[in-house]
Structure formats: C-alpha cells, structure tokens
Amino acid sequence: MVQYLQHSLLRWFDENQRVFPWREDRATKYQQIVSEILLQRTKAETVAKYFDTFFSRFPDWDALCNASLEELEEAMKPLGLYRHRARRLYKLGEDLRRRGGQLPGDSNELRDSGFIGLYVTNAFELFILKNRKPLLDVNMSRLLKRYFELGDFIDVRFDKEVQELANDIIEVRRCKELNWAILDYAAMVCRKRNPLCGECVLNKFCKYYAQNREKSDQPGSGKHEVG
C-alpha cells in the first residue's frame, strides 16, 4: 500500500501539479520558508496572489528582522489572522537577530530557534537542511487516514500514529515532490467534502473507498455517493 501510494501520487503529480511561486527553482530559501508560514490555515491560491506583494516589501531575512510588529501586522491584513501571523514572523525575526542573522545549521539548533510548530520546522528541515520530512498538516493527515484507515481525526501535533506514517511515506528520492503531490491531491481529489473517490488513483487499496463501496452495496441502501 505504501509503495502504491508513493508511485501513484508521483505519477499523478508529474501531470497535474499545481504551480506556485514558492515551488519554482528561482524561489529563495527565505521565500520557501516564509511562504509555508503564510500557508497555514490559508488556501495556497490566496498566498500565491499575495506572494509578490509581500516579498517585494520584505525581500529577505534582513528585511524581516528589521520589520516592526506594526509593519508586519499591516502587511498581513490581506491574508487574515494578521495578528497571529505577524507575531510569528516578528518572533522569528527577533530570534534571527539574537543569532546574529545565522539560520539553524542542524536539527538541534532548529529546536532551539524561533522556527516553531511541527509543520514549519519540518518545512525548514526539508527545504533548508535537506532532510526528508513530511509537510504534515490536516490535508495530508486526511489523505493518509482515509487510505490506511487510521482512526479518528485529531490534531496532527498530537497524532503520533499519523506522524510516524507520514515520516515513512516520504522516504523516497523525490521526497519534496511527494510532499507536494500529497498536498495537491488532498486539495484537488481527496477533498474534505465530496472527495472524487470514483476517479481516485488510490482507490484500488484505499480503505475509505472500500468501506463506502460496501455501504452502497448493502440491500436497501439505495444510490450512494462516496464521500
């Protein structure tokens, strides 16, 4: 099931991947990491529209470190949750100033830095430290839980089962692409509401799909839409 998921989603990704500025080869490490902070609880398409505006105002780590909290709050307003995002970016800038502008060089330094949260620290390890880490959020969790039938949905920060599975899944050469493939697939096919199970490339082994097929085949169930 693991290999089938890996191979199927990478093939799908090569033909159907979404195009975003932080994924392009010309994107700086700074743009990659800060974009991941902006992406939390926000649609990728919304962040993509705001990408040039934000990074023209704060083009690099130095600009972020020198930004005031008020400036960051004003910049974050178009994305919503602006006070929360601004505080995170401001604290990150404070930490970088304390470190003399030096980014964490390994996992131990990362744990003691201003890069906080499971998703952002994993993103830092993936993009900056070049370690294989999952971009584990609610969307990746949903896909994995449906496919493997892992039980009830809980906060991914406390879901050790899905964390361990996500770490196993991304142990491939194209780790970065597989992460993006899972996130794109969760957004486009394995959606929270009305997932496109009938055309899903994973439905051969997906536990969620099999369970819904069984329900629809039961006498008296009538026509049943998987989802």
Side-chain angles (χ1 to χ4, degrees), residues 36-178:
E36 296 299 338
I37 295 175
L38 303 183
L39 283 164
Q40 294 188 291
R41 298 169 66 183
T42 303
K43 289 183 178 180
E45 291 79 7
T46 301
V47 176
K49 292 178 181 178
Y50 189 59
F51 184 90
D52 289 338
T53 300
F54 179 84
F55 289 107
S56 62
R57 185 171 180 181
F58 305 102
D60 51 34
W61 293 114
D62 286 341
L64 183 66
C65 289
N66 292 322
S68 68
L69 180 59
E70 291 74 19
E71 288 175 322
L72 290 170
E73 287 183 348
E74 183 64 28
M76 291 292 99
K77 284 183 178 179
L79 291 178
L81 300 172
Y82 69 95
R83 287 194 176 93
H84 172 74
R85 298 183 204 274
R87 283 196 299 270
R88 291 199 66 180
L89 290 173
Y90 184 73
K91 288 180 179 179
L92 180 56
E94 279 187 323
D95 179 72
L96 287 174
R97 289 196 299 272
R98 177 180 61 83
R99 298 171 55 86
Q102 295 297 311
L103 294 173
D106 56 39
S107 298
N108 290 330
E109 290 184 5
L110 179 60
R111 282 192 286 270
D112 295 329
S113 75
F115 293 90
I116 57 175
L118 175 66
Y119 185 89
V120 174
T121 55
N122 279 1
F124 189 95
E125 291 215 39
L126 177 65
F127 296 122
I128 309 299
L129 301 181
K130 305 301 182 184
N131 296 330
R132 290 174 178 169
K133 285 290 183 178
L135 296 175
L136 180 57
D137 65 356
V138 294
N139 300 298
M140 181 181 289
S141 174
R142 179 178 67 252
L143 186 149
L144 296 180
K145 281 181 171 291
R146 283 176 173 172
Y147 184 71
F148 291 99
E149 192 183 3
L150 294 183
D152 295 334
F153 289 92
I154 62 174
D155 192 319
V156 294
R157 294 174 299 174
F158 311 114
D159 193 334
K160 299 302 181 183
E161 185 179 31
V162 81
Q163 288 178 24
E164 292 175 3
L165 179 59
N167 278 286
D168 290 340
I169 291 293
I170 52 81
E171 282 294 325
V172 294
R173 179 178 58 84
R174 297 179 65 193
C175 173
K176 180 176 64 177
E177 288 80 6
L178 182 56

